[in-house]
Amino acid sequence: MDLQLQNKVIIVSGGAKGIGEGIVMLLAKEGAIPIIVGRNESDNLKTVNAVKELGGESFQVTAELTDPNASAYAIKTIIKEYGKIDGLVNNAGVNDGVGLETGGYEAFMASLHKNLVHYYLMAHFALPALKKSKGAIVNISSKTAETGQGNTSAYAAANGGRNALTREWAVELLKYGIRVNAIIVAECWTPLYEKWITSLPDPEEKLKSIVAKIPLENRMTTSEEIAAATAFLLSSRSSHTTGQLIHVDGGYVHLDRALANA
């Protein structure tokens, strides 16, 4: 299916690694121009160069999105370079383990800036350009807002906010023809996930116990599968889809866990 994304300028925050990188590479294959916004210039450029090696076009803005001024700077830079924005993927963030017992005010607020505040700010500053293009917004979110996980209050709260903002923006932006949806991720294999697994006492056994609970095929979701759903929601092929929380998780959140061992 042609997603009709040719020459569409689409921002992907945290687009240098993991899920973000998967989204960037797929968008490039669809003919879009993915713009990476992230804190590490060398990581950003590595992915930009990977796109260019495949014959695509990409661009990067180095920005620390926990800084409230960084989102305005990123959008201004992209508009100066391309003159338009056709889509925004809010993706940057990390499950940083700020719990109820183990956290505190400073850590909780820092985590919200790391995982939620820039979602709002990127959309806020990109909105004038998105109005012109009737673009789309996709928020990458996590199961933690719905299932809980333990010892991750701030990240769960941030993802609850991501989900709520998805529905709120879908309503507010109806009059502009801007669609807003979210992809809910459960167990997806990324470099950060691998780093977490390998930090545990028995990584192999832990991973085995996790995939055993994923109903569809007893395996992790791939970043490419998240990317495919994201690209569809950005495209005109999903022209009547807005305000949706799409779970790309092999049935992890909603299907009976007994099915995983059936």
Side-chain angles (χ1 to χ4, degrees):
M1 179 186 291
D2 178 9
L3 294 181
Q4 300 174 355
L5 291 172
Q6 290 84 0
N7 299 314
K8 300 289 187 182
V9 174
I10 300 173
I11 300 169
V12 183
S13 70
K17 290 183 176 181
I19 289 171
E21 180 185 11
I23 293 169
V24 165
M25 297 307 294
L26 191 143
L27 289 175
K29 289 175 184 176
E30 290 291 329
I33 304 171
I35 312 297
I36 298 167
V37 178
R39 67 162 66 98
N40 190 305
E41 184 177 28
S42 62
D43 288 342
N44 294 350
L45 289 172
K46 183 178 179 181
T47 304
V48 166
N49 290 333
V51 169
K52 291 180 177 178
E53 286 173 10
L54 293 175
E57 182 179 353
S58 185
F59 184 71
Q60 71 88 30
V61 179
T62 305
E64 173 51 73
L65 292 176
T66 57
D67 175 1
N69 296 314
S71 296
Y73 164 76
I75 297 301
K76 183 178 179 180
T77 302
I78 294 161
I79 291 294
K80 183 178 179 182
E81 183 71 19
Y82 287 98
K84 67 170 186 170
I85 296 170
D86 297 297
L88 169 65
V89 180
N90 279 317
N91 165 72
V94 61
N95 190 338
D96 48 12
V98 179
L100 184 60
E101 287 187 285
T102 58
Y105 174 77
E106 290 80 8
F108 186 80
M109 294 306 294
S111 184
L112 292 184
H113 276 279
K114 204 180 292 180
N115 291 300
L116 177 62
V117 176
H118 62 81
Y119 273 48
Y120 171 83
L121 292 174
M122 289 292 288
H124 173 71
F125 290 114
L127 187 54
L130 290 170
K131 286 181 185 178
K132 292 179 183 178
S133 64
K134 287 191 176 180
I137 299 172
V138 177
N139 294 321
I140 305 300
S141 190
S142 162
K143 69 176 175 67
T144 55
E146 298 175 86
T147 65
Q149 187 177 66
N151 199 40
T152 187
S153 292
Y155 189 65
N159 281 288
R162 292 172 180 179
N163 295 354
L165 288 178
T166 297
R167 293 256 162 84
E168 169 64 15
W169 296 347
V171 173
E172 183 173 344
L173 302 181
L174 285 172
K175 59 182 175 287
Y176 303 118
I178 297 173
R179 297 177 300 103
V180 188
N181 295 286
I183 299 290
I184 313 299
V185 183
E187 305 296 337
C188 181
W189 190 255
T190 66
L192 273 176
Y193 199 103
E194 183 177 16
K195 183 179 179 181
W196 171 69
I197 282 286
T198 55
S199 73
L200 301 175
D202 191 344
E204 281 191 32
E205 192 59 34
K206 181 63 176 177
L207 184 59
K208 185 178 178 181
S209 71
I210 291 170
V211 299
K213 296 172 184 173
I214 302 172
L216 185 61
E217 300 176 348
N218 299 130
R219 65 170 178 84
M220 304 282 284
T221 306
T222 67
S223 59
E224 291 79 11
E225 287 168 326
I226 302 296
T230 302
F232 175 71
L233 291 174
L234 288 166
S235 79
S236 60
R237 297 297 189 182
S238 60
S239 55
H240 212 229
T241 302
T242 194
Q244 300 303 306
L245 310 180
I246 309 295
H247 292 71
V248 182
D249 65 354
Y252 186 93
V253 171
H254 292 103
L255 299 188
D256 190 328
R257 294 297 174 84
L259 293 170
N261 299 311

